[in-house]
Amino acid sequence: MHKPLPLQCTSLSFRGFQFAQAMLFAIEEINNSTDLLPGVSLGYKIYDACGSLARSVRVALALANGNEIVSVPSETPCTRPAQVQAIIGETSSSPCMAIATVLGPFYIPMISHFATCACLSDKTKYPSFLRTIPSDYYQSRALAHLVKYFGWTWVGAIRNNDDYGNNGMATFTETAKQLGICLEYSVSFFRTDPSDKIQEIADIIKASTSKVIVAFLSHMDMGVLIYELSKYNLTEYQWVGSEGWIFDSETAAMDKHHILDGAIGLSIPKAHVSGLREFMLDVKPLSLSNDGLFTEFWESLFSCKFKGLKSTAEIERECTGHEDLTGVQNSFTDMSLMPIFNNVYKGVYAVAHALHNILKCNKTCNNNVLLDPFTTLLHIRNIHFKTKEGDEVYFNENGDPAAKYEIINWQPRENSTVEFVTIGLYDTSLGPEKQLNLKNKSIIWMRNSQQVPVSVCSEKCPPGTRKVLQKGRPVCCYDCIRCAEGEISNITDSVNCVRCLPEYWSNERRVTCVKKETVFLSYEEIMGVLLTAASLFGTCTTAAVALIFFKHRKTAIVRANNSELSFLLLFSLTLCFMCSLTFIGQPSEWSCMLRHTAFGITFVLCISCLLGKTIVVLMAFRATLPGSNMMKWFGHAQQRFCVLGFTLIQVLICIIWLTTSPPFPFKNFKEFKDTIILECALGSALGFWAVLGYIGLLAMLCFIFAFLARKLPDNFNEAKFITFSMLIFCAVWITFIPAYVSSPGKFSVAVEIFAILASSFGLLICIFMPKCYIILLKPEKNTKKNMMGKKAPQSL
């Protein structure tokens, strides 16, 4: 067993060196100021954690104990507090969490410039942590809204396998779900993972159907991933990035295969700190300090070695210490991280303003005040000031600044360079609808395309369809099902189809409800014209017969069978023909009540006349028998009373029907799906069937009496013709009932009109046509002698 070797920093990070320089610039500016902390100089100690959590915690413990090594020249008077008053750093979230956990019980303020994990906002765990960069809670939500803005609902996700990546992606996933965005895959890795783990991620990307990848990575992990993906030339994916890598020039320089071309993402808003660039590029103070840091920095900057410090490795050239810095183009001279340098700058100034308030500085400061980290922390939380560039600096209750991001687009330029173009802004201080604001600038997408990429699991469902989820798949994967008849959807990606109102129906495309066609038996259609013509023909025919009878009213055949009842029968038949017209046309309240009652009363009047005629024939035969006195009891007055009595009963039934539950116009939506049938509802079905039943009862009585009188020995026995007419009448109305019940819509009305006309024509033809035949064509038979002549009865 061997004792593990101590941690060693193997190389100089220019990025970390720049952050340190930004802190030094702020401290020097404050120490030279006469307004802020006059007469007080800030001291500092810089530690290199070398990207190690263990080393970070070790430094934090040393600071908390006050055991850090301090080198102060003896000739320099210095009054130093027992403990460090604040820490500026760390750069990443995980080291910050470790340090903040250690420093929490001591309430030593820690202000980070680049640690964005939302978990660090938890003041119960990290009471002394503050930062000058927004929390990833806002960035993650902003990324989700950005993805939604471009219509990408099917995306992949890659994250750091650390607190920064896991927490940031958790918030993104939660927000994406709320916005209807689905993740096809979500994978994590760390830069120290074996290559087969990263290769596995590349295989997942290649097998995916989504074309957008959300990468919540640091610039170091992104560099490792790009190196692996470059082996597969995966350039057909649109990348969406977090601030950890989206505006990092080193990452852009590594992308030799243009995998990230057209990437968009969020970055800290551009900033400018006057004098900082010049300070960083001025290395004279560093070279005059005789510090070993200068030697290491100079050798890394110019890739050389000073004489006497050569290692066994081959060095191309020897350092002179007078190399020209003006022509150097590398990460040290790159000032693209100026927004982060500004965060360091603001963090130092936050501490200075807090100390200024504690020491009650005006023109001078009270040096007798004993400083302690807890008091410093309380004052830092409450500071609110503006930097010389006009930036407001303050912290909310979670120790976070206001969240504002620029939206960056990677636009490739000549010589394989990339320009970070600002295409919009995300500002959480605005209302929800105004937070995301994209400028009217042309965006370059993957493969240098001008067209916005499409990344959906299923295409949008057009109007007229609805979404049906695919079993076992995310909600973004669905099928588009056409709306059923009578339902519509007039928006894209509708979840449900809306049923049309009863008076409307869906059009062919199922996108709008159109008014249903109203259907009723009208005078304009062929069936209505034919029935109207038949009704008028029957009316005219009846009138012609009445005219013939009136003209020959004194002849034997007219006088033989009670001419008064004959004329009343012709009048009632005329009404029967005409009442059929009330069934044609659009139903109204009056027409509905009139058609059934008029039909019922006129037919009862008609059958009452026939019943009277039949009874007269029977009574006349009985009167010829010896000792019979029947005709005395059934004279003209009794016949009129009989007809009137039978008719009044029907009138009474109709009055009861109309007063209790009369027929009314009704819109029938159920018979046909796409049409409205305008019809007359019966109101009381009992009233309707009572009217028909009473007509049927009288018809049966009339048929029975006529049947009994059919063989009486008259030369012209009218009972036979009444029997035939009642047979036709009963046959028509018996067949009417099933036909009426089964006929849909306006056809039921047509069936009822047909039954009225058929039975009316049957009565007219059977009873009056034989008489008209004799009157017009056989006048020699129209004599009293011929009417009174006896002959043997014929079988029916």
Side-chain angles (χ1 to χ4, degrees), residues 231-363:
K231 299 176 183 177
Y232 303 97
N233 196 28
L234 299 177
T235 59
E236 66 273 17
Y237 295 92
Q238 176 64 44
W239 291 82
V240 180
S242 63
E243 40 70 37
W245 65 270
I246 196 65
F247 67 110
D248 186 69
S249 55
E250 290 183 9
T251 305
M254 292 178 62
D255 186 19
K256 303 295 184 182
H257 291 79
H258 302 282
I259 294 172
L260 301 178
D261 281 3
I264 61 171
L266 304 177
S267 76
I268 308 303
K270 290 184 176 65
H272 175 70
V273 182
S274 55
L276 179 57
R277 175 184 176 86
E278 293 75 16
F279 179 85
M280 285 187 174
L281 297 180
D282 184 10
V283 294
K284 288 181 181 179
L286 192 63
S287 62
L288 295 174
S289 65
N290 293 322
D291 194 341
L293 180 61
F294 168 74
T295 302
E296 186 179 357
F297 162 70
W298 202 262
E299 288 180 344
S300 298
L301 186 61
F302 293 102
S303 301
C304 61
K305 278 288 183 178
F306 281 100
K307 188 176 182 181
L309 297 176
K310 289 184 179 180
S311 63
T312 55
E314 286 294 327
I315 301 298
E316 292 184 2
R317 59 194 182 87
E318 184 178 327
C319 295
T320 65
H322 301 288
E323 283 81 1
D324 186 11
L325 189 63
T326 56
V328 175
Q329 293 290 332
N330 58 19
S331 57
F332 173 71
T333 59
D334 177 24
M335 293 294 149
S336 62
L337 291 179
M338 185 62 76
I340 311 303
F341 303 155
N342 186 42
N343 287 345
V344 178
Y345 180 83
K346 289 190 288 189
V348 175
Y349 264 86
V351 176
H353 276 274
L355 293 174
H356 186 89
N357 294 333
I358 294 170
L359 298 176
K360 300 176 182 179
C361 298
N362 190 0
K363 291 184 178 180

Side-chain angles (χ1 to χ4, degrees), residues 12 32 48 55 72 127 143 150 184 320 343 384 446 464 535 662 720:
L12 178 70
N32 293 328
D48 189 355
R55 193 169 180 127
V72 181
L143 285 174
F150 291 108
E184 184 181 9
T320 65
N343 287 345
H384 195 142
M446 60 182 187
S535 175
K720 292 185 291 183

